[in-house]
Amino acid sequence: MKLIYKITFAMAAVASLSSCENLEQDPYDKILTKNAFKTPDDAQYWRDGFYNTLRDNYTYLEKRTDIQSDLLNATINFENREGFFQAWSILSDHGSIASVWQSRYKLLADINLSIEKFPTIATTTAAEQAQINQYLGEAYALRAYTYLQLVQRFSPQYTDANKDTPDLGLPLVTTFDIKALPARATLAQTFDLIYSDIAQAKTLLTSKVGVQGATTFTIDAVRALEARAALTKGDHPRAYQAATAVIATGKYPLVSTAAALDAIWRTDAKGESIVQLFTSANEATPNFGLYQYLRRATGKYTPDFIPSQWVVDLYQGNDIRKNVYLKTFPTAFKTGNFTTALVNKYPIGSYGSANSYVHAAKIFRVAELYLIAAEAAYKTGQETQAQDYLNRLRRARITGVTDITATGATLFEEIKTERIRELAFEGFRLDDLKRWGDPVRRHDPQGGTNYIIIEPASQFYLLNKPADDPMFVWPIPLNDTDINKNIKQNPGY
């Protein structure tokens, strides 16, 4: 863990002063922070830095989990970009794994320092104190959000049987200490910290009301985070309560026209958005261009990955998502020109040609909460409520749809299928399969084998991984296990 802390906002200041050593210089492990937390404006600077880091690293986890899942096939154009994930050949020394782990622990280092220092900032008015409390609440929310992302990817699924097993959770770091070499906690301890941070955030952000398209955490965003965390843990009563509480505010109505849904994705319209990060041509989220890659000279698209035919077939003609989330384009591959359905959730947007596929990172959308409510209700034996939340989402998305009346296992399959339709290509699929204990089985590729990678078939279009395959969980980066011998590696790596 030592290297994780080597680059923070505070340490950047130290590096710039390295040629000015004097007898009054702080020790390297104390960091020059005594002048970094003096005013509420300083706190805002650090808080804005959290969101900058979050935005700068968005998509790297989200696209890789979907590429690893059953949703997409690598085309013959892909030249092994993100190939480790598509082929399930992940190793602990891959930089793509390290970038996800280390960027989030870097963010945690800055958050931990801020949680320690924000309360020490002197204020002169009630408004200034409220501002500090708000930033502190956001720091707790972001720490919970970051640890949730890490436990979803680097730990096995939480169960009553394994929750207290040592070394299955995360190294939990809550204070700024560059010399700390913590071991992995249990899963129970990891989720206890996430829940504790959510509780702190709810207290501190009570008065920060939610609005559509908020660019920072609000009280509604914290409840949405709570719902997601509880569903991940299998705490279904809590997931249901948190999800329905946000829905019940009525602030985030589901859109029901293709134009309104398209605007959410094409131009980052605020409808349905609980939190989406500020984005501009100069402050841009890494993009999802690999799903399209328009060649302007020819007017043809050359994607690295395309959705499987079975995914395309999930959307019927009366589903407003059909031509918003997916769209048919002229495509060019080494084997010829075709017409292919491509991922269209991240179309050429409105931030200029240099960032053509850049879009605001949509951290929480209300549609996810309808699906959480439906799944959590089903899991707690409330099938009528599960049908209700599922059908409310379907009515908004599918013109003239017939309500789902199924019960039992059939109802659960309907919930799963609707979750694919709504959340496809947003980074949920692999974690959903892991949570459900389902395998990853690729099948029915679009276009047959005309323009996808087919060899070796078992690693690409015919990949079939059982639910207990070790690579459902990513490895702790080799660099970190080498430096911190207290961290136990995940099985299979």
Side-chain angles (χ1 to χ4, degrees):
M1 297 295 292
K2 201 169 185 179
L3 285 188
I4 288 168
Y5 294 102
K6 283 201 171 178
I7 304 175
T8 66
F9 300 146
M11 288 184 176
V14 174
S16 69
L17 298 173
S18 61
S19 62
C20 303
E21 294 184 9
N22 59 64
L23 295 177
E24 296 181 358
Q25 180 173 305
D26 288 349
Y28 81 96
D29 59 345
K30 296 300 183 186
I31 310 304
L32 294 176
T33 58
K34 60 189 178 186
N35 295 319
F37 296 91
K38 291 214 163 186
T39 70
D41 286 345
D42 293 334
Q44 182 175 349
Y45 171 81
W46 282 78
R47 170 265 214 161
D48 290 348
F50 304 156
Y51 292 106
N52 287 341
T53 300
L54 198 61
R55 183 179 60 238
D56 291 346
N57 291 283
Y58 195 79
T59 78
Y60 295 131
L61 186 154
E62 289 75 15
K63 68 185 177 184
R64 288 165 181 162
T65 53
D66 277 343
I67 289 168
Q68 190 179 343
S69 79
D70 53 357
L71 298 178
L72 298 157
N73 293 111
T75 74
I76 56 177
N77 292 339
F78 101 121
E79 296 182 352
N80 208 37
R81 284 180 285 267
E82 307 296 354
F84 301 125
F85 299 97
Q86 173 78 178
W88 285 59
S89 57
I90 299 167
L91 298 174
S92 62
D93 63 351
H94 286 163
S96 50
I97 294 292
S99 67
V100 171
W101 174 273
Q102 292 173 359
S103 66
R104 281 155 180 79
Y105 270 101
K106 172 195 175 298
L107 175 58
L108 287 170
D110 294 330
I111 290 172
N112 289 336
L113 185 60
S114 297
I115 287 174
E116 175 189 346
K117 296 295 185 179
F118 282 178
T120 70
I121 294 175
T123 59
T124 58
T125 67
E128 286 185 344
Q129 188 58 55
Q131 182 181 2
I132 294 296
N133 289 342
Q134 176 189 314
Y135 297 157
L136 185 60
E138 290 178 57
Y140 277 112
L142 285 163
R143 189 166 73 179
Y145 175 80
T146 303
Y147 271 125
L148 178 61
Q149 284 193 317
L150 287 166
V151 78
Q152 286 177 312
R153 281 292 81 236
F154 294 95
S155 292
Q157 179 60 37
Y158 181 106
T159 67
D160 285 338
N162 72 5
K163 64 182 181 180
D164 294 317
T165 302
D167 297 313
L168 294 186
L170 299 170
L172 299 180
V173 185
T174 57
T175 59
F176 187 88
D177 182 355
I178 63 174
K179 296 188 291 185
L181 297 171
R184 296 174 66 175
T186 65
L187 284 167
Q189 291 167 333
T190 301
F191 277 95
D192 283 348
L193 176 59
I194 292 170
Y195 275 4
S196 174
D197 282 353
I198 287 171
Q200 290 275 22
K202 287 168 73 173
T203 299
L204 291 162
L205 294 177
T206 299
S207 61
K208 190 181 180 187
V209 297
V211 294
Q212 281 189 10
T215 57
T216 60
F217 267 79
T218 64
I219 186 62
D220 291 340
V222 176
R223 292 191 181 107
L225 170 62
E226 182 178 17
R228 186 184 293 175
L231 186 72
T232 300
K233 183 184 177 186
D235 186 352
H236 298 113
R238 186 165 182 167
Y240 181 80
Q241 182 181 36
T244 56
V246 179
I247 294 169
T249 67
K251 297 176 186 175
Y252 313 97
L254 293 164
V255 302
S256 58
T257 68
L261 189 64
D262 182 69
I264 290 173
W265 295 99
R266 185 171 301 279
T267 61
D268 293 335
K270 297 178 180 179
E272 300 192 0
S273 175
I274 301 168
V275 174
Q276 59 182 39
L277 300 183
F278 175 80
T279 298
S280 69
N282 296 321
E283 296 175 280
T285 303
N287 67 57
F288 288 90
L290 78 176
Y291 293 148
Q292 291 195 355
Y293 284 144
L294 170 63
R295 304 304 179 193
R296 295 181 185 276
T298 65
K300 296 187 183 298
Y301 292 76
T302 58
D304 284 350
F305 297 92
I306 58 173
S308 294
Q309 187 63 49
W310 71 269
V311 177
V312 176
D313 292 343
L314 290 177
Y315 302 89
Q316 301 303 309
N318 58 338
D319 192 325
I320 66 172
R321 294 169 293 197
K322 181 177 177 64
N323 292 313
V324 175
Y325 295 178
L326 300 169
K327 194 168 184 178
T328 300
F329 291 104
T331 50
F333 299 101
K334 296 173 184 177
T335 50
N337 297 325
F338 300 88
T339 300
T340 311
L342 305 183
V343 175
N344 197 48
K345 267 190 174 175
Y346 313 97
I348 294 175
S350 57
Y351 299 106
S353 60
N355 299 296
S356 58
Y357 290 100
V358 167
H359 291 275
K362 294 166 180 62
I363 304 299
F364 294 107
R365 295 194 299 122
V366 75
E368 179 196 355
L369 298 185
Y370 279 86
L371 292 161
I372 290 175
E375 183 172 340
Y378 172 79
K379 289 291 188 177
T380 53
Q382 303 176 82
E383 292 195 348
T384 299
Q385 289 89 335
Q387 293 167 349
D388 178 50
Y389 284 101
L390 179 64
N391 286 325
R392 286 164 68 179
L393 176 61
R394 285 167 54 83
R395 288 182 210 128
R397 299 297 196 239
I398 309 172
T399 304
V401 69
T402 301
D403 280 352
I404 296 294
T405 59
T407 60
T410 304
L411 173 58
F412 191 35
E413 289 304 313
E414 293 283 3
I415 293 169
K416 289 181 179 181
T417 299
E418 201 61 42
R419 194 168 169 93
I420 303 172
R421 288 193 190 102
E422 183 58 41
L423 301 179
F425 321 118
E426 294 180 55
F428 288 95
R429 180 60 173 167
L430 190 65
D431 292 330
D432 286 345
L433 292 170
K434 173 186 163 190
R435 184 177 72 257
W436 296 328
D438 288 347
V440 170
R441 185 177 72 84
R442 296 193 191 125
H443 59 95
D444 299 319
Q446 189 182 171
T449 58
N450 287 325
Y451 40 77
I452 62 169
I453 298 293
I454 61 174
E455 294 294 341
S458 62
Q459 288 185 287
F460 288 95
Y461 80 108
L462 295 180
L463 180 138
N464 191 345
K465 296 293 183 180
D468 61 355
D469 189 284
M471 285 191 187
F472 264 100
V473 179
W474 287 356
I476 310 299
L478 180 63
N479 187 61
D480 291 84
T481 57
D482 280 350
I483 291 169
N484 182 1
K485 300 301 183 182
N486 296 319
I487 297 180
K488 185 176 179 180
Q489 182 58 275
N490 285 318
Y493 295 100

